[in-house]
Amino acid sequence: MILGTSAAAEDTALLTDTIRSVIRRTDPVDGRAERVYRDGPVDRDLWAVLGTEIGVGALAVPEAAGGLGASFADVAAVLELLGAELCRVPVLSGVVAAAALSRCDGAPRAAELLAGIATGETVVATVVTAPGTDPGFRAEHVGDDVFVTGRAGFVVDGDVADTVLLPAVDESGTVGLYAVDAAVLTSERMDTTDATRILSRVRAEAAPATVLAERAPLGWIHDRAVVALACESLGVARTCLANAVDYAGRRVQFGRVIGGFQAIKHMLAEVSVAVELAESAVAHAVWAVVEGSDDDLAEAAAIAALACGDAARLAVEKNVQVHGGIGFTWEHTAHLYYRRALTSGVLWGSGDDHAQRLYALAAAGAATSSEASTDPRQEPASAVLSSTES
């Protein structure tokens, strides 16, 4: 659970308990693996309840735009729950899109899309671009009209979205954010490891677009997306740890429960430490979203991605090992969690990518501090001595 005041924690717990009861009723754990491969990566029955009746999509939408304007701590807790249950609903894409659209002040189309996300009637996907990389799209202005050309892969919910948000470079070299109706795009579902999530290739060929922001905060959007994904990964890690502990306490081998064996104890203890680190990283990232600066968010997002990615990978691997032979079967959900962790671990940057960005942020911060320092007590000893002698 994300850290907060006791009153806020109670409200968040009530919210997640309500959503969990709906999930367990509509998509129970028993038979979930069979339903995933039978129905595909979209559970429309569950989304009809969560999106339309419960209003999960409205949590991340500002109240002024027709949403609930919930705190990001609530949003993070719900994302963690959806990750824990491997829910096949377009909530992650909605949270990322709502964050991007919230930075498009004064754009009528942005307000329309936010209202659609809040009611659950509109699915909005976002092309998330890593800081400092080419967005892959070009925008051409013809009179009052704008047309976008380009392509991108690994777009979450791209081929079930009604609208896609695209970052594109215009004639002046400025990167803006554009909304493009899915009807004028070519979308293709990718064949990926994770059977519980839709990832798509999206291509635009002179597609009519609407300008949402002439200067897109691509780094900020990327960081918000990474934090949201880290919350999901934390849910995956915690559930796999809980499942492994539960099974180890029930499975009897050689006349005793396997949880009593030293090797199993050490294995689960290692996962527990990783999960605790991930929880702390997510709590810090939630603070950065709510109260921190953009620099705080960038740093916290990289830390959360590293911690939660590592915890999820470790937890899913040990969960399969603890379950032994049954953990490798197609009917068990262990392999679904394993696949989700593998995909999420590279979706918006690998562990190496996040580590390198964290290093770059730290180096940039150190350089800035060094340049800004005028206090002799913070100067190198040689500089202080030379100034004294002169």
Side-chain angles (χ1 to χ4, degrees):
M1 186 64 64
I2 308 305
L3 298 177
T5 64
S6 58
E10 290 179 3
D11 292 341
T12 301
L14 179 60
L15 172 65
T16 53
D17 287 345
T18 301
I19 296 173
R20 183 182 292 106
S21 65
V22 171
I23 295 171
R24 295 291 175 86
R25 184 173 64 251
T26 308
D27 184 28
V29 176
D30 292 340
R32 183 174 289 168
E34 179 184 354
R35 289 190 298 275
V36 167
Y37 290 107
R38 182 192 66 199
D39 302 332
V42 179
D43 190 336
R44 300 189 183 280
D45 293 336
L46 180 58
W47 179 237
V49 180
L50 291 182
T52 306
E53 297 181 19
I54 304 288
V56 170
L59 292 171
V61 177
E63 193 171 357
L68 296 176
S71 70
F72 190 75
D74 286 338
V75 175
V78 171
L79 287 169
E80 180 186 334
L81 171 60
L82 297 179
E85 298 291 341
L86 291 182
C87 291
R88 294 164 290 142
V89 291
V91 174
L92 177 63
S93 58
V95 169
V96 176
L101 292 167
S102 68
R103 296 289 292 262
C104 303
D105 296 334
R109 182 57 175 154
E112 294 174 5
L113 292 174
L114 283 170
I117 294 173
T119 60
E121 298 174 354
T122 304
V123 176
V124 182
T126 306
V127 175
V128 177
T129 304
T133 61
D134 189 329
F137 292 89
R138 298 292 181 269
E140 180 183 5
H141 291 72
V142 181
D144 295 332
D145 299 322
V146 182
F147 301 92
V148 173
T149 299
R151 63 181 62 194
F154 299 96
V155 181
V156 177
D157 296 325
D159 63 285
V160 296
D162 302 292
T163 302
V164 180
L165 308 183
L166 305 174
V169 182
D170 64 14
E171 298 89 344
S172 66
T174 303
V175 181
L177 187 65
Y178 301 81
V180 181
D181 290 339
V184 298
L185 295 171
T186 301
S187 299
E188 176 188 7
R189 187 169 301 182
M190 302 174 68
D191 185 12
T192 62
T193 302
D194 186 3
T196 63
R197 166 166 287 152
I198 293 177
L199 295 176
S200 312
R201 296 186 184 90
V202 175
R203 185 172 72 252
E205 297 290 346
T210 302
V211 180
L212 298 175
E214 294 183 354
R215 292 184 179 275
L218 296 187
W220 184 86
I221 294 173
H222 171 270
D223 295 334
R224 286 292 297 265
V226 167
V227 170
L229 186 62
C231 295
E232 273 198 357
S233 296
L234 174 59
V236 169
R238 292 185 65 178
T239 294
C240 288
L241 173 60
N243 290 346
V245 170
D246 176 70
Y247 187 77
R250 293 184 291 105
R251 178 73 168 101
V252 177
Q253 189 72 21
F254 304 114
R256 59 185 293 191
V257 294
I258 63 174
F261 293 116
Q262 198 78 351
I264 300 297
K265 289 181 179 179
H266 287 175
M267 190 183 298
L268 296 178
E270 183 183 6
V271 177
S272 180
V273 170
V275 171
E276 288 187 8
L277 289 174
E279 289 173 347
S280 297
V282 167
H284 177 60
V286 170
W287 167 84
V289 169
V290 177
E291 300 181 19
S293 64
D294 288 357
D295 290 339
D296 292 330
L297 175 60
E299 181 183 83
I303 294 173
L306 284 168
C308 293
D310 288 346
R313 282 190 295 273
L314 183 62
V316 297
E317 290 173 2
K318 301 307 181 184
N319 185 42
V320 172
Q321 292 180 27
V322 169
H323 277 81
I326 192 174
F328 288 88
T329 62
W330 209 245
E331 291 77 13
H332 202 277
T333 58
H335 74 285
L336 294 178
Y337 285 100
Y338 185 87
R339 293 172 177 225
R340 168 63 71 87
L342 289 182
T343 303
S344 297
V346 295
L347 178 55
W348 289 318
S350 65
D352 286 343
D353 293 332
H354 296 302
Q356 289 176 14
R357 188 174 187 220
L358 189 59
Y359 173 80
L361 290 169
T368 302
S369 299
S370 177
E371 292 175 1
S373 175
T374 57
D375 187 345
R377 292 171 296 180
Q378 298 179 7
E379 293 283 345
S382 59
V384 176
L385 290 174
S386 61
S387 62
T388 304
E389 294 172 356
S390 60

